[in-house]
Amino acid sequence: MGNRFICMIKKENERNGVGSRSKRMERSKRRSLVEEELLHRQALAMAIQQHQLSQRFEGSMSRRIGGSTSSRRRTDSSDPAPNFKQQLPECLESIKTKKFVLVHGEGFGAWCWYKNIALLEETGLLPTTVDLTGSGIDLTDTKNVTTLAEYSKPLIDYLENLPEDENVILVGHSVGGACVCYALELYPQKIAKAVFLCATMISDGQRPFNVFAGELGSAELFMQESKFLIYGNGKEKPPTGFMFEKEQMHGLYFNQSPAKDVALAMVSMRPIPLGPIMEKLSLTPEKYGTSRRFYVQTLDDHALSPDVQEKLVRENPPEGVFKIKGSDHCPFFSKPQSLHKILVEIAQIP
């Protein structure tokens, strides 16, 4: 009888232990959801505030903070939420370059990186974002942004002002990849690694628009017929930019992104200057050709299809290729944890 009573107590304790763990996990999950909700609210509030402050463009917010190896190919099938704080000491010990510069794509701004900024900081890394000219909260009218040099100026200014003994990991999204290519040609010694995130990793003599030709048609046809063109200097002059309607934008960019992030983007995105993406880029083997490039493919992307991304990789092979399943054209919204994991892994590559 006594033994049976003891066994009953043990079983009850085990059940209570399991219940306690389950409750702790549930509380932790609720706390994470509350923190994510707060982050969303702060980002959206900043975007709306910028929208109210300026009538010149659709408002925006921005948060500013401030060796070879064999080619490797990996696939991320989910978006887990690992405890990066537990990995912190080992992770930092193996990372030589801790500074990340995140470069947004067309229409976006520094605001779009808010999730990955938080994740990189939590890991002990040093993220910095820039608003390209005419983007985010930069007040330049996009009709006055006619060259890739003008468009990339905030990024180039940042690299110019880096101390001589410092370098960075450059991450470019979408058309921001062309700005990364341009920066690699100008300052290869200041860029330890370049990460092209479903981006225009172009070849010498190619223009960024060519990469999207499959989705948008030829440049000549687009310039003649596109209903999304903006004529900043009047209808009698050549178009100066373009911007998709919200419905098209949702289907192209945000087919897997959370509704809150789509709402943030809708009040934050700005017209895209046409000149920079129509400009042919001159890249040399001595500078751009010696850079360490990595490509991150997004496998549910409607703006830059997986086939086009694969073609970019074949034509201009990077050092490593990574893939994110279930990600649309904006993995910083749809798969931020998977993207973070890849960025940290690239940083750890010797």
Side-chain angles (χ1 to χ4, degrees), residues 211-230:
V211 175
F212 292 91
E215 280 78 8
L216 300 178
S218 69
E220 291 73 24
L221 190 63
F222 182 81
M223 293 287 280
Q224 291 171 10
E225 299 181 4
S226 177
K227 62 180 180 179
F228 308 116
L229 291 173
I230 296 170

Side-chain angles (χ1 to χ4, degrees), residues 206-269:
Q206 192 177 22
R207 51 188 173 188
F209 183 89
N210 294 150
V211 175
F212 292 91
E215 280 78 8
L216 300 178
S218 69
E220 291 73 24
L221 190 63
F222 182 81
M223 293 287 280
Q224 291 171 10
E225 299 181 4
S226 177
K227 62 180 180 179
F228 308 116
L229 291 173
I230 296 170
Y231 294 83
N233 296 319
K235 271 284 188 180
E236 69 285 355
K237 299 287 181 66
T240 57
F242 69 97
M243 190 169 188
F244 298 114
E245 294 174 356
K246 291 184 178 181
E247 184 178 341
Q248 283 80 13
M249 202 180 296
H250 191 286
L252 282 172
Y253 290 98
F254 309 119
N255 50 293
Q256 295 294 335
S257 293
K260 292 175 184 177
D261 290 323
V262 178
L264 171 64
M266 291 299 105
V267 298
S268 303
M269 292 186 75

Side-chain angles (χ1 to χ4, degrees), residues 122-136:
E122 185 176 293
T123 310
L125 297 171
L126 305 171
T128 296
T129 57
V130 294
D131 280 323
L132 298 174
T133 308
S135 306

Side-chain angles (χ1 to χ4, degrees), residues 70-199:
S70 59
S71 178
R72 53 182 69 189
R73 183 177 297 263
R74 294 178 182 270
T75 300
D76 260 327
S77 57
S78 61
D79 200 37
N83 188 341
F84 287 108
K85 286 183 177 178
Q86 292 180 0
Q87 301 174 9
L88 185 61
E90 181 183 352
C91 170
L92 286 182
E93 187 177 334
S94 61
I95 294 177
K96 184 177 180 181
T97 301
K98 296 181 176 61
K99 283 190 175 181
F100 280 76
V101 180
L102 309 176
V103 183
H104 63 82
E106 69 285 356
F108 293 87
W111 51 267
C112 71
W113 297 104
Y114 77 98
K115 290 182 179 180
N116 283 100
I117 287 170
L119 288 168
L120 288 167
E121 284 187 322
E122 185 176 293
T123 310
L125 297 171
L126 305 171
T128 296
T129 57
V130 294
D131 280 323
L132 298 174
T133 308
S135 306
I137 61 171
D138 181 275
L139 293 178
T140 306
D141 194 318
T142 51
K143 72 178 183 180
N144 297 321
V145 185
T146 59
T147 67
L148 192 60
E150 292 169 343
Y151 188 51
S152 307
K153 190 176 186 302
L155 171 62
I156 301 306
D157 287 347
Y158 175 86
L159 294 174
E160 280 182 348
N161 292 322
L162 267 182
E164 288 188 9
D165 58 342
E166 288 187 14
N167 55 21
V168 301
I169 295 174
L170 206 52
V171 182
H173 170 243
S174 198
V175 167
C179 300
V180 171
C181 292
Y182 180 68
L184 286 170
E185 182 65 23
L186 289 181
Y187 294 109
Q189 75 281 5
K190 294 191 176 185
I191 303 167
K193 295 166 186 168
V195 182
F196 292 81
L197 177 61
C198 50

